[in-house]
Amino acid sequence: MTADEHAQANDRRMSRRRFLRASARTALAVPGLPALLASCTGGGGPTPTTSGTPSAALRLARPAKPVTLPMFDDVRPIDAGMDPERRATVELYTWPNYVWRAVLDRFASEFDSAYRIQTFTDVASDAVPKLAVGQVTPDVFWPTVDELAPLVAARLFLPLTHAYLPNLAKNVWKSLRSPFYDSGSRYSVPYTVWTTGIGYRRDRIDDTEVADNGWDLFWDSRYAGKVGIYDDYREAISLALLRNGVANLNTADPAELDAAEADLVRLRRSSAVRISRNGPYTTLPAGELWLHQATSSDMVGAQWFVPAGTSTNVLGYWWPEDGQGPVGSDAMVVPASADDPVLAHLLLNFLLDPRSGIRNFSWTGCQPPLTALDTDLALGRGYVPETLAATIVTEADLRRGCYELELAPEVDKRWQAVWQRVKAAA
């Protein structure tokens, strides 16, 4: 894409992960996802909670404790070997501008179909209520993996028929062909992967200094007034946990959370830290801030916001070499309401083809976990500047990194309460 095309396309850019937790889900008054689902479905069927569920398979997924999601007699996978629905319109329900239309156009042409995109701004408060009552009936939906189990328990998704998905086994990283959060990929295929590290201005902070100091840089008084963190309770608290040597980013330990809160309050008061949703691709490229907590995908996108006449080389990204940093992945599913489930499966498979997935990455900045996409390719084709090479996630990064995953409801409330007190600190 040209710089002008990126500039136009990225009028859209608010990281969808920032939107996820910065909106209703971070407000203490909003019920958790299980409670919300139960109210939407009138309490019928299995209650999608993380404790006292009818199936032990709904325990909290962790890398060392893979979860096999349950199957239900009244939500069956489609048969293999069926022809695609003819001249159908595939309904997509996703985050704003999370898939490049040029890629979807190619799919529509190949399969003699059309598509329509509906968007949501939050899963828990926006997408799920509409899915649960049939207000929207998409063919393909994009949840985050921490939401997968309760949504499966609510019977909202079809089990996948893998005969339509040869690219899952052929092109996707081995660790995500049967991921710990959905063993056997019963309901989901991966869409993107990311890390969360430090985005910084290389004309203001030396690369070596960032590498030597890591997370401590946010608390360095020399950068007071030039520092930003995400308006995201999981990411912000995880930053303080990692600084304190806590790699469990799903901790329920009150002492660890208290220490993280104290550090964030001190950061808020002493460094005039900016709490924002979109700092990595607005204030950082503009030079207004010099240091910002950032996901790898946000920093790939940041290059398109550097002012005209300024080199993208002013941007740098750091993620710890020892792998003790946040990682994550998003998924694609076929809802049980799908009118065109064969085409839906074929679209999932299409996006896992390197030609489609890498082309999509060139526009969204969100990296698919495809074996064909590595640092050499991303740099060689100019998708990512040399100074942002660390934004390219490897399968080893995902294995070593620290996931922010679904929390038990009472633990989630504790995390949210910490973040509300930090934001209220003056």
Side-chain angles (χ1 to χ4, degrees), residues 317 375 379 384-393:
Y317 180 74
T375 302
L379 298 181
V384 176
E386 290 279 352
T387 60
L388 294 176
T391 61
I392 302 303
V393 186

Side-chain angles (χ1 to χ4, degrees), residues 13-209:
R13 250 193 105 84
M14 168 180 259
S15 161
R16 42 139 246 96
R17 294 196 71 243
R18 303 288 69 73
F19 223 125
L20 169 65
R21 289 178 180 136
S23 54
R25 195 172 179 186
T26 62
L28 290 175
V30 174
L33 190 59
L36 191 151
L37 279 169
S39 66
C40 288
T41 59
T47 303
T49 60
T50 54
S51 60
T53 63
S55 170
L58 293 183
R59 69 180 185 274
L60 297 177
R62 297 294 184 259
K65 296 180 179 180
V67 163
T68 301
L69 298 173
M71 305 276 276
F72 304 104
D73 289 340
D74 55 346
V75 185
R76 305 295 298 171
I78 63 173
D79 293 334
M82 295 194 296
D83 292 332
E85 295 84 4
R86 292 177 58 81
R87 295 183 175 83
T89 298
V90 182
E91 301 283 348
L92 312 181
Y93 198 33
T94 186
W95 304 91
N97 299 288
Y98 201 35
V99 190
W100 192 14
R101 286 182 177 271
V103 174
L104 295 174
D105 289 342
R106 182 177 293 180
F107 173 83
S109 176
E110 182 173 335
F111 290 97
D112 190 22
S113 63
Y115 64 87
R116 187 165 73 98
I117 299 174
Q118 297 182 78
T119 61
F120 53 81
T121 56
D122 180 82
V123 171
S125 66
D126 187 10
V128 171
K130 294 174 183 176
L131 284 169
V133 300
Q135 185 177 343
V136 295
T137 55
D139 297 299
V140 181
F141 176 57
W142 278 256
T144 54
V145 300
D146 56 324
E147 298 145 354
L148 199 57
L151 295 174
V152 165
R155 292 169 163 82
L156 291 183
F157 302 149
L158 280 181
L160 296 175
T161 301
H162 283 226
Y164 298 106
L165 303 169
N167 285 332
L168 177 62
K170 182 180 178 182
N171 299 320
V172 172
W173 292 349
K174 186 176 180 180
S175 60
L176 289 179
R177 296 173 194 168
S178 179
F180 68 88
Y181 53 81
D182 182 13
S183 185
S185 292
R186 280 186 162 185
Y187 288 91
S188 67
V189 298
Y191 183 62
T192 62
V193 290
W194 68 86
T195 60
T196 302
I198 300 174
Y200 61 99
R201 290 284 302 213
R202 299 179 65 248
D203 54 344
R204 298 294 185 176
I205 306 175
D206 186 75
D207 295 334
T208 302
E209 183 178 356

Side-chain angles (χ1 to χ4, degrees), residues 23 35 87 95 124 141 148 187 196 217-218 223 252 297 299 308 310 312 330 335 339 365 377 381 404 409 412:
S23 54
R87 295 183 175 83
W95 304 91
F141 176 57
L148 199 57
Y187 288 91
T196 302
L217 273 181
F218 288 92
Y223 305 121
S297 54
M299 286 307 297
T310 301
T312 57
D330 275 0
D339 289 328
L377 185 145
R381 293 190 181 179
E404 298 164 358
D412 190 68

Side-chain angles (χ1 to χ4, degrees), residues 156-290:
L156 291 183
F157 302 149
L158 280 181
L160 296 175
T161 301
H162 283 226
Y164 298 106
L165 303 169
N167 285 332
L168 177 62
K170 182 180 178 182
N171 299 320
V172 172
W173 292 349
K174 186 176 180 180
S175 60
L176 289 179
R177 296 173 194 168
S178 179
F180 68 88
Y181 53 81
D182 182 13
S183 185
S185 292
R186 280 186 162 185
Y187 288 91
S188 67
V189 298
Y191 183 62
T192 62
V193 290
W194 68 86
T195 60
T196 302
I198 300 174
Y200 61 99
R201 290 284 302 213
R202 299 179 65 248
D203 54 344
R204 298 294 185 176
I205 306 175
D206 186 75
D207 295 334
T208 302
E209 183 178 356
V210 179
D212 289 345
N213 292 282
W215 311 118
D216 286 336
L217 273 181
F218 288 92
W219 282 264
D220 192 320
S221 60
R222 290 175 298 167
Y223 305 121
K226 298 296 183 180
V227 177
I229 63 174
Y230 280 130
D231 190 358
D232 178 321
Y233 74 112
R234 294 300 300 275
E235 296 280 32
I237 296 172
S238 291
L239 168 63
L241 289 171
L242 288 165
R243 183 183 183 239
N244 292 331
V246 179
N248 178 9
L249 304 187
N250 310 292
T251 182
D253 187 327
E256 291 175 347
L257 290 172
D258 286 348
E261 178 180 344
D263 278 355
L264 288 170
V265 168
R266 188 169 78 255
L267 178 65
R268 184 127 167 80
R269 289 173 173 167
S270 64
S271 297
V273 67
R274 186 86 59 88
I275 298 176
S276 69
R277 300 181 182 183
N278 55 3
Y281 45 89
T282 55
T283 54
L284 196 63
E288 186 179 338
L289 296 182
W290 300 349

Side-chain angles (χ1 to χ4, degrees), residues 296-371:
S296 53
S297 54
D298 277 357
M299 286 307 297
V300 173
Q303 66 177 305
W304 304 320
F305 286 83
V306 172
T310 301
S311 170
T312 57
N313 289 338
V314 299
L315 298 176
Y317 180 74
W318 173 89
W319 191 73
E321 288 189 6
D322 63 4
Q324 295 300 288
V327 297
S329 58
D330 275 0
M332 299 182 284
V333 301
V334 178
S337 60
D339 289 328
D340 303 301
V342 178
L343 275 173
H345 279 74
L346 294 176
L347 177 58
L348 267 55
N349 190 62
F350 185 83
L351 290 170
L352 296 179
D353 182 279
R355 291 167 298 178
S356 306
I358 294 173
R359 191 165 184 239
N360 195 46
F361 166 68
S362 75
W363 186 81
T364 66
C366 301
Q367 180 186 336
L370 300 176
T371 55

